[in-house]
Amino acid sequence: MESGYGLFIDGRWSTPPKSKRFVTKNPATGETVGSFVSGTAEDAQRAVGSAARAFPGWRDTPAPRRGEILLEAARRMRERKSDLGRLVTCEMGKVIGEGLGDVQESIDFLEYIAGEGRRLAGETVPSELRSKFCLTVRQPKGVVACITPWNFPTAIPNWKIAAALVTGNTVVFKPASNTARCAAEVVKVYEQAGVPPGVLNFVTGPGGVVGNALVSDPRVRAVSFTGGVATGREVYALGAEGLKMVHLELGGKNPVLLMDDADLPLALDGVLFGAYGTSGQRCTATSRLIVHEKVYAAFLEMLVERLEEFAVGDPLDPATGMGPVASADQERKVLEYIALGKKEAKLRYGGKKLTGGLYDRGYFLEPTIFETKHGTRISKEEIFGPVLSVIRVGTYEEAVRVANDVDYGLSSSIYTSDVNRAFRAIHDLEAGITYINAPTIGAEVQLPFGGVKHTGNGGREAGSVAIEEFTEIKTVFVDFSSKLQKAQIDAE
Ligand code: NDP
């Protein structure tokens, strides 16, 4: 299914002369999926120029019209759902149900945010003076850079691009290099839906080159970034030099708290899905299971028993539970953590690279469980793979202490049948998201998404707050008294 792509600048797909190329590979088979331009800083700057020229026209396009174009993109995405879902699976490796889910999330968000074209609400508030009217309006920021990771190769780009466009910004999109074909197909959907030339631009190439050039370009007024903490820090610092708004969505070390009064079979399904869905490569993946000692032994038995039957294999086969990890780099990193875990904790299940037959063609790992004390590196650092750290605790209070004692704060979950305890957990857990009796994964587009501590820098994506990231608020005073009125001085 290999295909060659150019850059998309000024509404045209083109390949700059003498440009270098790179390819993406199917992590299950090693087959080439697509070939792309390895863009340069100059390509990034051309794309920013195109976005800057298109900005005045797009800013003045009525917001409901901008929303209609996004609705058309949603319709086209729905028409292509099955081929795009398959592409997600072939380029990134998540199982086909999740590949289709990735595309569905894109459709859901496009439909949701298109409606924002008819809202974009400001405030009206009273003035302290007579015959004076006070309100706020939202205005776009200008040219926005959207830099995305590979784990949700259609959904995360759509979260960013659609929210930026409906609010009147123009965009330069730089996708993760190893899912560039999914990204290119997303751009084609917007192009075909009628996004005018220059409003959305697409530059592939190394993050350190293209991403860097975008973040440091003075014409880029805002950066929306999802990825690793180290890169996020770099992007934040570079953006700060230009005093631009930088929105960061980074990693997680998400706990499930399993209490002694939990519905264990329900929790079992949730932990399996949370820990091993997308081969553990979700920023919201369940990477820690914090278990009350009264149910510890029994639950671990149940977990191991289910993993014995857990099918790891061809991600296109609907019967497969877990596909490969996304790349050779991912495999190496996860295996390093597994080696570390073998030294500092007790390996309870898995821990090996799978070999033989189809496994030899891709990056397949066993779903892995470590029993560990809180405080080991595997219990505190983000692994981003199918590795679950299980930690025994004696009380709810200890569980919360352990849950909160990490650098991250994205998602969290508690399984309990005590409603008071559930509400306490909502209050106690340091995380942007808390699930009650459900796994740590399962975001819905109509709700805000993001986290605390090193997971981000305070913003949220999706939900009605998605537009905050991409708008400036202008405060307006309309004085219809026909005389000079002085706030604070003339007030009655
Ligand atoms: P990276 O942070 O390496 O990459 C994310 C994006 O940033 C990619 O598009 C990448 O481009 C680009 N990039 C890389 N370097 C720079 C730079 N110096 N300036 C600007 N952009 C840059 O993350 P990965 O995708 O490799 O994933 C690694 C980690 O990211 C995971 O282990 C996890 O911690 C985290 N992650 C978090 C997610 C979340 O949703 N919160 C989602 C996915 C990952 P290129 O691909 O060309 O390098």
Side-chain angles (χ1 to χ4, degrees):
M1 66 186 307
E2 186 185 344
S3 201
Y5 293 82
L7 308 179
F8 187 64
I9 298 175
D10 267 328
R12 281 188 305 278
W13 289 94
S14 66
T15 298
K18 298 191 188 144
S19 52
K20 295 195 179 121
R21 297 192 74 82
F22 67 96
V23 297
T24 58
K25 300 258 183 195
N26 182 329
T29 63
E31 285 160 344
T32 299
V33 175
S35 145
F36 309 89
V37 174
S38 184
T40 60
E42 291 69 38
D43 293 326
Q45 285 151 8
R46 268 195 309 120
V48 174
S50 157
R53 284 191 298 281
F55 177 59
W58 185 242
R59 177 189 198 273
D60 289 346
T61 303
R65 172 68 192 132
R66 299 195 296 248
E68 282 164 19
I69 294 176
L70 296 186
L71 215 47
E72 176 61 13
R75 195 187 65 73
R76 285 171 183 267
M77 191 89 65
R78 193 182 291 283
E79 260 175 24
R80 296 194 51 200
K81 181 176 170 183
S82 66
D83 66 283
L84 287 176
R86 196 180 157 86
L87 175 61
V88 169
T89 293
C90 291
E91 196 170 43
M92 185 271 159
K94 61 176 79 174
V95 294
I96 185 66
E98 294 182 3
L100 293 165
D102 199 303
V103 180
Q104 186 59 47
E105 193 168 332
S106 305
I107 298 164
D108 293 345
F109 187 67
L110 278 162
E111 287 179 347
Y112 175 78
I113 207 72
E116 205 51 60
R118 291 191 181 269
R119 286 189 294 270
L120 282 183
E123 293 180 273
T124 57
V125 290
S127 168
E128 62 187 52
L129 296 163
R130 292 172 192 267
S131 301
K132 200 166 178 188
F133 191 78
C134 307
L135 68 148
T136 64
V137 291
R138 288 186 181 276
Q139 298 189 320
K141 286 181 180 281
V143 177
V144 169
C146 297
I147 304 177
T148 58
W150 42 262
N151 65 335
F152 278 85
T154 72
I156 293 180
N158 275 293
W159 280 25
K160 295 184 188 304
I161 294 168
L165 293 186
V166 78
T167 43
N169 303 278
T170 53
V171 171
V172 181
F173 170 32
K174 143 71 189 128
S177 293
N178 57 342
T179 48
R181 183 161 173 191
C182 290
E185 292 300 332
V186 165
V187 171
K188 286 194 170 174
V189 167
Y190 282 81
E191 179 193 8
Q192 286 155 8
V195 170
V199 168
L200 172 61
N201 304 275
F202 175 67
V203 184
T204 44
V209 176
V210 174
N212 209 288
L214 293 177
V215 179
S216 53
D217 192 308
R219 295 168 295 178
V220 170
R221 291 310 312 148
V223 177
S224 184
F225 173 88
T226 300
V229 170
T231 322
R233 239 187 218 118
E234 217 175 296
V235 166
Y236 203 17
L238 197 56
E241 280 174 30
L243 298 179
K244 53 190 75 174
M245 225 289 298
V246 178
H247 176 107
L248 302 172
E249 287 293 339
L250 309 173
K253 190 71 184 174
N254 313 290
V256 164
L257 280 61
L258 182 68
M259 295 294 101
D260 51 341
D261 58 0
D263 175 339
L264 296 188
L266 175 72
L268 182 62
D269 287 338
V271 169
L272 281 167
F273 183 47
Y276 303 114
T278 323
S279 305
Q281 301 165 116
R282 293 194 189 208
C283 47
T284 51
T286 304
S287 45
R288 292 182 295 155
L289 174 62
I290 303 170
V291 190
H292 194 284
E293 59 193 9
K294 285 194 189 149
V295 292
Y296 185 90
F299 192 76
L300 239 74
E301 290 274 309
M302 289 163 72
L303 201 51
V304 166
E305 200 173 296
R306 277 283 287 278
L307 284 184
E308 308 276 0
E309 296 152 21
F310 197 70
V312 180
D314 176 7
L316 285 172
D317 180 346
T320 298
M322 190 173 93
V325 294
S327 63
D329 278 353
Q330 270 298 105
E331 185 182 83
R332 193 177 321 113
K333 190 179 131 196
V334 176
L335 285 171
E336 278 168 20
Y337 270 110
I338 289 175
L340 174 69
K342 285 176 181 167
K343 288 187 198 140
E344 61 178 11
K346 178 179 160 200
L347 178 68
R348 176 66 191 256
Y349 189 86
K352 286 196 296 295
K353 175 173 167 54
L354 289 159
T355 51
L358 76 95
Y359 294 142
D360 287 340
R361 297 166 64 205
Y363 310 116
F364 293 92
L365 301 176
E366 286 182 317
T368 296
I369 299 177
F370 283 106
E371 293 182 73
T372 179
K373 286 197 165 48
H374 171 61
T376 54
R377 280 184 57 199
I378 57 160
S379 73
K380 296 193 81 168
E381 295 177 15
E382 185 183 52
I383 298 174
F384 225 58
V387 181
L388 177 67
S389 292
V390 187
I391 305 161
R392 182 200 295 257
V393 290
T395 60
Y396 164 80
E397 288 73 18
E398 187 186 355
V400 168
R401 259 196 320 276
V402 167
N404 289 343
D405 184 31
V406 290
D407 287 340
Y408 298 103
L410 181 49
S411 187
S412 57
S413 149
I414 184 166
Y415 281 86
T416 179
S417 54
D418 178 342
V419 69
N420 292 352
R421 192 183 270 159
F423 273 85
R424 271 178 68 195
I426 295 169
H427 178 264
D428 291 342
L429 289 168
E430 293 172 1
I433 304 167
T434 295
Y435 290 89
I436 308 297
N437 293 327
T440 55
I441 64 176
E444 296 184 33
V445 301
Q446 68 278 20
L447 287 147
F449 181 92
V452 301
K453 304 198 278 192
H454 288 184
T455 293
N457 56 350
R460 294 290 183 272
E461 294 190 283
S464 59
V465 297
I467 58 170
E468 304 289 341
E469 186 186 349
F470 297 107
T471 51
E472 299 285 0
I473 290 177
K474 174 171 282 188
T475 305
V476 182
F477 299 95
V478 182
D479 191 324
F480 54 100
S481 69
S482 300
K483 60 182 183 192
L484 172 64
Q485 300 196 85
K486 299 175 192 149
Q488 294 88 42
I489 296 168
D490 292 348
E492 293 163 23

